[in-house]
Amino acid sequence: MSFNNLDQLYRSVIMDHYKKPRNKGTIDDDGKLTVNMNNPTCGDRIDLHMKVEDGKITDAKFLGEGCSISIASASMMTEAIKGLTVEEALHMARIFSDMVLGKDYHAEGIDLGDIEALSGVTKFPARIKCATLPWKAMEKGFAQEKWNEED
Amino acid sequence: MDIETIREQFPILHQEVNGAPLVYLDNGATSQKPKAVIEAMERYYKEYNSNIHRGVHTLGTLATDAYEGAREKVRRFINAGSTEEVIFTRGTTTALNTVAYSYGRANLKEGDEVVITPMEHHANLIPWQQACKATGATLKYIPLQSDGTIDLDDVRKTVTPRTKIVAMAHASNVLGTINPVKEVAKIAHENGAVMVVDGAQSAPHMKIDVRDLDCDFYAFSSHKMAGPTGIGVLYGKKALLENMEPFETGGEMIDFVDLYDSTWKELPWKFEAGTMPIAEAVGLASAIDFLTEVGLENIHVHETELARYALELLSDIDGIEIYGPMENRVGIVTFNLKGVHAHDLSTILDTMGIAVRAGHHCCQPLMRWLGVSATARASFYLYNTKAEVEKLADGIRKAKEYFGDVL
């Protein structure tokens, strides 16, 4: 029995985010963007709050229930997207998706930081959805917002 | 009951997963298939594949005989009075939806009640939610005791003369609870209601006698009882089925078709529209032969022993929480380990070749009742061994150590 792959999945930086999630909470501001997303197959759930000013994400927080991978991913994502423009954050979501699906990804000029530690999930296909849940929530949030503006 | 001889019949069990011998403990989701079932289906396709109940050629007759022979085997398996009361469906879900639509929606009206429990699988919950929404009937729940059982006094309080349908799992797919469906059926009947039983987790594991239970409808799936996916059974009392409209219409289920009206075939074919899963019926018949030869009583005793052993070993693990009653249960053990999410636990067990289910098990209301978002579940079948239960307990301990280290 080998825990090698497990060690790639549960890297210490991931466990640190799981144990001490950053940006856990809510944004109390009327102008915030709120997204709720579930993974209906497993019961994981995230409430993502984002504040966007002049096209830039100035704050991001989340509440949720889930496994180590989904909580760590949400913690890392909310850290990473703060200060980015909406376009940059969506670009990062695409890079993230490619990374966890095991595809070639090009992150030139983008600081993935801790996020790269989640690449170990490629060896565990059943867990990819855990990692992408918060990112899908962000994408859904911005798609909603766009729709509302056009409306 | 010699487990090694039984294990030899299941080719899939003899492999390594992630470098360790497979320990398959996800039988509540689906069971593995013995050689006899796989070969019976292969023989059907190689030797007599043909459509049933139409044409007059030889292969058609062979296929029809096999399909109707399977129905007779099911009848005997559950001790139904007649094959007219045995309807083949896609599975338990379709069987329960058939009752909810063809009986429920046709007979419910505003002021009526449907009574279920919070431990129902979504398949025995959402069809009733929808039927109540469509008809204005009220959906009511029998409360659960703290150990995940129901009390017959609560059943008597919840079921009233306004109740038209009582629907309940025979065995819970999460808690393992065996519900007293025979006694509940009696209470339902005293109030003029019909009794619908979800047998998905009971028919594979214990002797079922629908006439002794005196339930009005009983639903179960082939794939959880060593048979193939894609076929299940709805048992219904003839007098009820005769007065129900078909759930699906189309080919095969008709008697006479005119431009503006049609009439239906007699039971059970009235409820079997289109080409049915014939190879799957052949496979199910073979699974019934297999289970009958081992003996459902033996299977039940064996699984109860495994569950008791698992409860004993798992209870010893620090930080574990086990859900459901300690007695009168099927071979399902659901648990959580403090500080380790069920997905993480399942992933770590998988690296040791141990397959368990993690998630909400299609029971979201029950998860909320338990106050958790997900649980891990080990579910046993006739081929599981005490040594595998020990591996599970060891695996959980290792997962706990591993997570303790990385955290």
Side-chain angles (χ1 to χ4, degrees):
Chain A
M1 175 177 59
S2 156
F3 279 157
N4 282 347
N5 280 344
L6 271 188
D7 292 340
Q8 287 302 306
L9 181 65
Y10 296 120
R11 288 181 197 169
S12 57
V13 58
I14 293 175
M15 299 324 277
D16 185 59
H17 276 272
Y18 174 48
K19 221 165 75 174
K20 292 178 284 184
R22 327 304 194 245
N23 306 311
K24 197 155 185 193
T26 55
I27 298 174
D28 298 317
D29 183 312
D30 291 344
K32 69 174 186 281
L33 190 62
T34 311
V35 205
N36 168 267
M37 200 158 206
N38 303 307
N39 180 347
T41 57
C42 69
D44 280 5
R45 185 179 66 72
I46 182 170
D47 281 312
L48 179 64
H49 288 190
M50 293 182 290
K51 191 156 189 245
V52 182
E53 290 169 296
D54 300 327
K56 215 170 212 183
I57 303 163
T58 54
D59 201 4
K61 288 195 187 302
F62 79 99
L63 288 175
E65 279 175 63
C67 60
S68 60
I69 302 302
S70 67
I71 298 296
S73 183
S75 169
M76 291 172 177
M77 182 191 82
T78 46
E79 278 217 308
I81 61 172
K82 261 194 266 184
L84 298 185
T85 66
V86 171
E87 280 67 35
E88 285 168 337
L90 289 172
H91 181 55
M92 192 181 255
R94 284 191 292 274
I95 292 171
F96 182 80
S97 171
D98 285 347
M99 182 185 85
V100 295
L101 288 169
K103 295 184 190 164
D104 287 337
Y105 62 98
H106 306 284
E108 288 87 8
I110 292 172
D111 181 17
L112 287 177
D114 289 352
I115 293 170
E116 222 150 6
L118 282 167
S119 61
V121 84
T122 52
K123 297 258 173 50
F124 296 85
R127 303 299 299 278
I128 291 170
K129 276 190 179 161
C130 309
T132 53
L133 180 69
W135 298 83
K136 297 272 179 222
M138 176 183 72
E139 288 176 325
K140 182 180 160 193
F142 289 137
Q144 269 173 8
E145 191 193 36
K146 195 160 173 255
W147 196 81
N148 287 340
E149 275 169 13
E150 282 167 6
D151 199 37
Chain B
M1 188 166 139
D2 178 28
I3 305 298
E4 277 319 304
T5 316
I6 287 170
R7 289 182 69 84
E8 280 168 23
Q9 305 297 310
F10 289 82
I12 203 168
L13 297 178
H14 306 282
Q15 64 172 313
E16 293 202 337
V17 169
N18 295 318
L22 169 65
V23 177
Y24 185 79
L25 303 179
D26 194 17
N27 296 287
T30 196
S31 67
Q32 300 302 348
K33 324 302 173 200
K35 264 188 281 191
V37 169
I38 300 166
E39 285 164 6
M41 294 175 74
E42 192 184 355
R43 202 157 51 244
Y44 166 76
Y45 279 125
K46 280 182 172 168
E47 295 173 16
Y48 59 103
N49 171 52
S50 205
N51 215 326
I52 50 171
H53 299 310
R54 56 190 95 175
V56 288
H57 56 74
T58 303
L59 294 193
T61 306
L62 287 173
T64 303
D65 287 351
Y67 182 78
E68 293 304 329
R71 196 188 309 277
E72 168 58 19
K73 283 204 170 141
V74 171
R75 186 201 66 74
R76 262 182 278 156
F77 185 68
I78 58 173
N79 195 30
S82 149
T83 50
E84 293 172 288
E85 300 181 316
V86 176
I87 295 157
F88 284 126
T89 68
R90 185 171 62 86
T92 307
T93 299
T94 307
L96 292 168
N97 272 282
T98 302
V99 183
Y101 274 83
S102 292
Y103 185 85
R105 292 190 183 209
N107 290 290
L108 291 169
K109 58 180 190 311
E110 215 172 315
D112 289 345
E113 298 165 348
V114 176
V115 171
I116 63 175
T117 80
M119 73 173 94
E120 299 313 313
H121 186 283
H122 295 164
N124 198 30
L125 193 158
I126 305 170
W128 303 115
Q129 280 182 354
Q130 294 294 96
C132 287
K133 277 193 237 167
T135 58
T138 306
L139 187 60
K140 286 169 75 179
Y141 286 87
I142 298 161
L144 294 187
Q145 302 295 298
S146 58
D147 65 348
T149 58
I150 58 164
D151 188 312
L152 286 173
D153 281 339
D154 286 328
V155 178
R156 283 186 203 99
K157 278 182 211 151
T158 314
V159 177
T160 75
R162 286 188 298 279
T163 306
K164 294 290 178 291
I165 297 166
V166 179
M168 189 180 287
H170 196 175
S172 159
N173 69 314
V174 173
L175 304 166
T177 315
I178 298 176
N179 283 317
V181 288
K182 183 176 175 177
E183 289 73 17
V184 176
K186 196 163 170 283
I187 296 168
H189 293 152
E190 283 164 6
N191 285 277
V194 298
M195 179 72 192
V196 184
V197 179
D198 170 1
Q201 299 291 344
S202 51
H205 305 286
M206 52 209 263
K207 183 84 193 97
I208 301 302
D209 183 332
V210 288
R211 279 189 283 184
D212 177 58
L213 295 176
D214 196 25
C215 54
D216 299 285
F217 298 99
Y218 192 97
F220 60 101
S221 295
S222 148
H223 73 97
K224 293 187 201 290
M225 49 182 279
T229 55
I231 192 166
V233 173
L234 172 64
Y235 158 81
K237 282 185 185 165
K238 188 179 167 185
L240 294 169
L241 292 174
E242 274 181 334
N243 288 311
M244 285 159 58
E245 286 293 304
F247 179 39
E248 284 189 313
T249 52
E252 273 305 298
M253 50 74 68
I254 47 87
D255 175 33
F256 184 77
V257 179
D258 205 349
L259 280 177
Y260 300 101
D261 204 6
S262 303
T263 55
W264 319 134
K265 258 188 192 166
E266 65 270 39
L267 290 174
W269 303 289
K270 177 171 95 175
F271 289 98
E272 296 180 357
T275 293
M276 294 298 287
I278 307 161
E280 287 73 11
V282 169
L284 171 59
S286 171
I288 288 175
D289 285 342
F290 177 83
L291 295 177
T292 308
E293 199 179 315
V294 178
L296 270 297
E297 290 86 357
N298 295 332
I299 293 170
H300 184 56
V301 167
H302 173 66
E303 290 170 9
T304 307
E305 268 173 36
L306 290 179
R308 196 174 293 137
Y309 192 47
L311 290 171
E312 182 191 321
L313 294 188
L314 268 54
S315 301
D316 265 356
I317 299 170
D318 206 26
I320 206 161
E321 183 163 17
I322 300 170
Y323 308 101
M326 298 306 270
E327 293 293 328
N328 196 26
R329 62 201 326 292
V330 290
I332 286 174
V333 179
T334 294
F335 55 95
N336 263 323
L337 194 55
K338 198 165 175 263
V340 186
H341 191 278
H343 295 168
D344 294 315
L345 180 58
S346 174
T347 291
I348 297 170
L349 291 173
D350 185 52
T351 62
M352 306 174 207
I354 304 169
V356 298
R357 170 92 187 260
H360 57 59
H361 315 288
C362 297
C363 284
Q364 290 185 10
L366 180 60
M367 292 294 113
R368 281 191 283 280
W369 183 80
L370 291 170
V372 297
S373 63
T375 66
R377 176 187 74 181
S379 48
F380 307 113
Y381 210 12
L382 70 165
Y383 38 68
N384 290 123
T385 64
K386 282 195 158 187
E388 288 181 316
V389 175
E390 286 160 10
K391 281 186 186 176
L392 171 69
D394 286 347
I396 296 170
R397 278 208 175 77
K398 283 191 182 118
K400 190 173 141 70
E401 278 168 32
Y402 179 84
F403 241 67
D405 287 346
V406 292
L407 265 177

